[in-house]
Each structure stands twice: as C-alpha cells, then as structure tokens.
Amino acid sequence: MMVAKKPIKLLTALVLTFFSIASYATNDGHGEENKDPHKGELVDTPDEIKEYITHHLKDSHDFHLYTNNKTGKHYGFALPVIVWTSKGLKTFMSSAFHHDDEGHTIVEKDDVSLVKLHSKIYELDNGATSVSFDEHHHPTNAHKVLDFSITKSVFGMLLAGLLMLLGFGALAKGYKKGNTIPKGVGRVLEPLVIYVRDDIARPNIGEKKYRKFMGFLLTVFFFIWILNLLGLTPLGFNVTGQIAVTVCLALFTAIIYLFSGSKDFWAHTLWMPGVPVILRPILAVIELVGFVLIKPFSLLVRLFANMTAGHFVVMSLIALMILLKKKFGVVGSTGMSLVLALFISVIEILVAFLQAFIFTMLSSLFIGMAVEEHEEHH
C-alpha cells in the first residue's frame, strides 16, 4: 500500500510544479499579451525581457500575483512600509504607491513626500512636487530613507521561521508524550535532523563538541531549505537570492567559529609551529584573511549565485516562448518552453536541498577547524 502511494505523491509534486511554472508564465506578465505589469508596455525583446527578469528577482514592498492585461488591474496584497525620514518614523501600506516604481506616485505622509524608485523609497526635498533626474537617471532632489519595511523577503523569512516553530514544536511535543515514532510532519523532520547530526556535525566537529553547535546548524539548514522551496512557488520569493541575506548568514557562521576557536587554533593560526620563524608572520596574515574574509565570502557567494541563477534560468526558459513566437512564429513554443522550465524546476527542487546541505556542511567544517585540538608529535 505504501509503495502504491509513492507514484501518486511524485505525480502530485510534478503537477504542483507545473502549475507553479504556468503561474510564472501568466502572473508575471509573460502570458499571451506579454505586457510588463508595472509599465503596461510590451515585453518582447531580449533586453526588455532581461530587464524584467532582473526586476522580478529583486525584493519588493508588495506581492504582485496577477495582472489583468485587458484592464491593467493588479492583483496581490500590500505589505507594511516602515521608514525613518528626516521628520521621524512614518508607516503606511505599500498600496499607497499603486504599483508605481518610477517615482510618479507621491505619498504625502504628514509633512513628508515619499516616492518609490526601483524598489527603493526616497524622500523628496522640501517644495519638490516631482522627481528630477540627472543624465544617469539618478534622483537629484530626493534622498534615501532608512527602510525598515516588511518587504517580500522579510515576509518570507518570517514565514519560514513560523513554519520551523510549528514543525519542530509538534516534533518536540510528540517526544514529550513518549512517542518513539514521530507522526505527521515529524516523520519528515526527524530523519533530516538525524542526517544533520550524524553526517554533518559529528564527522566535521567531533564527538565531544558537536552538540554545542547543533542548534545553529539545524536552524541554518532548515531555514535555507524552506526559503529555497518557497522560492519555487508562484509567490515569487527570492530570499536566498538576496545578497544581504546570504551575507548575514555567512557572518553568523564566521562569528561563531571565530569566537569559538580554541587556544590551540589561535596559536596555530597566529604563530604556526613547524615552519621557519621568518615565514610565520606571513602565514599568520594569510590564515587570518582566509578565516575572516575568504571563507565567509565563499559561503555567501555560493548560495547567492546558485539560487539567483536557478530562478533566472527558469524565467528565461519561460520567456523563450515570446522570442520564438515573435521571431519565427513557432507553433507550440509555449508547450516546449513549459516542458523545459518544468525540467529545470524539478532540478531546482534538488538544488534547494543541496544548497542548504552545502552551506551547513561548510559551516560545520569551518567550526570544526576552529574547535579542533591539535596534538603535537615530536
């Protein structure tokens, strides 16, 4: 009976993935009319499509789910805008901008005028009624504000955190009741927890010290994995494709292994034994640069580049139908693009897990190098 259910689950996953891709094709303005939902213009050239995909991968202050190409009406939901201006804290909903990202809509909040340009919020100078630009299209009479808004990426991180609390809360509650076999979502979480413990933490950190870092490793693994999966939904999350998010995750890892480093680790790093004294200062600088800069940089770039590239490839394959239909009038180009995008999206499901695994594995490896006790052999 259990064997018979596996093909059904696989088929269900493929169907959901197909509908997610189809939603990208229609909800994001790449549908039959292929109009830009923000500008109301046709998007049918390589440069315009590239610009649109780049815009889609950026963070935003609201969720844009669908645009009626005939009426131009947008469907989605707004998020809270929280900004610190020259006149103090201002809050309102992002719907006040009316999906305008070119600075045409001015939001008057008390005695402050705010506009949104390319997903960034600016405050207009006193007396200004519109935005002025220089030859490089930079605003000359507006300046950025401190933005604490609940953007799409922030909403995604809060959602991922909530899902983790609910999932692990249910798993812990089952253990408290004495259930040796987990039920529900616990059946998915427990094997992954054991996998992180036995195949990532123990081999890299060591039997004596791995428990101290299990909380961080489990958190970062499931946090990245859930966010990567959310990025495959039509909601348009691209949290792990935001460089600020990957920088913060890499900084957390760096802070943990730098402050957890043993005396032996720092002694070997700053004054490496077994080498000529004249070379020790040079090696110390190289080791410090490696641990402080290179290792965190490799963590943040690997996650950022892989997730961004995956989303870019999927949307490019969907946009292929527009280019083929316009240039060659290829019949069935829509179906071919969706099939290719479906194939890449299935691979992206594997990549979502793989990137969480790699980030956690490298973090545990760096931590293990820092807490390792070296034995001197004479």
Side-chain angles (χ1 to χ4, degrees):
M1 192 70 181
M2 293 298 294
V3 177
K5 289 182 179 179
K6 289 183 179 179
I8 298 176
K9 293 180 179 179
L10 178 60
L11 181 61
T12 303
L14 291 175
V15 170
L16 290 175
T17 305
F18 177 82
F19 279 113
S20 296
I21 295 170
S23 298
Y24 275 124
T26 57
N27 295 357
D28 290 328
H30 289 130
E32 188 175 2
E33 298 285 337
N34 54 293
K35 291 183 179 179
D36 188 330
H38 297 286
K39 299 179 182 179
E41 301 171 351
L42 290 175
V43 180
D44 54 3
T45 65
D47 291 338
E48 291 173 343
I49 290 174
K50 182 179 179 180
E51 181 182 356
Y52 179 76
I53 294 175
T54 303
H55 176 81
H56 174 82
L57 294 178
K58 293 180 180 179
D59 199 7
S60 65
H61 289 82
D62 56 3
F63 279 91
H64 172 241
L65 303 178
Y66 179 76
T67 297
N68 190 323
N69 290 325
K70 295 181 179 179
T71 63
K73 186 176 181 181
H74 302 282
Y75 296 91
F77 56 93
L79 293 171
V81 174
I82 307 170
V83 292
W84 186 269
T85 67
S86 61
K87 303 294 179 63
L89 188 67
K90 307 297 178 183
T91 60
F92 54 94
M93 298 301 292
S94 60
S95 56
F97 288 117
H98 304 293
H99 295 275
D100 176 38
D101 201 39
E102 297 296 330
H104 302 304
T105 302
I106 299 177
V107 176
E108 299 287 347
K109 195 63 180 177
D110 298 331
D111 51 352
V112 175
S113 299
L114 300 170
V115 296
K116 190 171 70 168
L117 294 169
H118 309 299
S119 300
K120 303 291 183 181
I121 297 179
Y122 293 81
E123 178 183 350
L124 288 176
D125 294 339
N126 291 332
T129 58
S130 62
V131 186
S132 300
F133 300 95
D134 57 17
E135 62 273 12
H136 302 292
H137 201 68
H138 296 150
T140 57
N141 61 340
H143 55 276
K144 290 183 180 180
V145 297
L146 291 177
D147 195 348
F148 303 101
S149 304
I150 307 298
T151 62
K152 192 162 59 174
S153 294
V154 175
F155 183 85
M157 289 187 283
L158 293 175
L159 178 59
L162 178 62
L163 293 175
M164 291 171 63
L165 286 174
L166 293 176
F168 285 104
L171 182 62
K173 191 178 294 183
Y175 286 143
K176 286 183 179 180
K177 293 180 179 179
N179 298 331
T180 56
I181 301 177
K183 299 179 181 179
V185 71
R187 293 185 179 183
V188 178
L189 295 178
E190 187 183 61
L192 291 173
V193 171
I194 295 174
Y195 177 77
V196 173
R197 183 193 67 185
D198 294 343
D199 293 322
I200 297 179
R202 274 178 171 169
N204 292 309
I205 300 177
E207 190 69 32
K208 296 181 180 179
K209 298 183 178 181
Y210 81 92
R211 290 182 178 271
K212 179 180 178 182
F213 305 100
M214 275 299 294
F216 171 73
L217 295 177
L218 286 173
T219 301
V220 76
F221 175 83
F222 284 98
F223 185 70
I224 294 174
W225 182 48
I226 293 174
L227 287 176
N228 290 347
L229 292 178
L230 289 176
L232 300 177
T233 64
L235 291 175
F237 287 112
N238 186 31
V239 183
T240 49
Q242 305 297 327
I243 191 69
V245 175
T246 59
V247 166
C248 289
L249 291 173
L251 283 177
F252 285 138
T253 299
I255 290 171
I256 287 174
Y257 69 67
L258 287 174
F259 282 90
S260 300
S262 62
K263 293 181 180 179
D264 198 35
F265 163 75
W266 286 112
H268 279 71
T269 300
L270 299 178
W271 202 248
M272 190 176 295
V275 298
V277 176
I278 193 172
L279 294 177
R280 292 184 182 183
I282 301 175
L283 293 176
V285 173
I286 294 174
E287 288 292 315
L288 283 175
V289 170
F291 275 101
V292 176
L293 295 178
I294 297 178
K295 286 180 171 60
F297 183 76
S298 67
L299 280 176
L300 70 93
V301 167
R302 181 179 287 104
L303 180 60
F304 164 75
N306 280 282
M307 300 315 300
T308 300
H311 293 304
F312 200 97
V313 169
V314 171
M315 296 191 67
S316 297
L317 288 173
I318 295 172
L320 185 64
M321 70 180 77
I322 301 171
L323 297 178
L324 290 176
K325 191 175 295 185
K326 179 186 177 184
K327 191 169 184 179
F328 303 107
V330 177
V331 179
S333 60
T334 299
M336 183 181 67
S337 297
L338 289 178
V339 169
L340 291 173
L342 174 62
F343 175 73
I344 297 296
S345 294
V346 173
I347 295 178
E348 279 290 291
I349 297 175
L350 174 62
V351 173
F353 174 84
L354 186 62
Q355 290 304 315
F357 163 76
I358 292 175
F359 193 97
T360 309
M361 173 67 77
L362 291 177
S363 296
S364 65
L365 181 63
F366 297 156
I367 293 172
M369 294 170 64
V371 301
E372 181 185 6
E373 298 291 343
H374 300 271
E375 295 182 2
E376 298 293 343
H377 300 280
H378 300 282

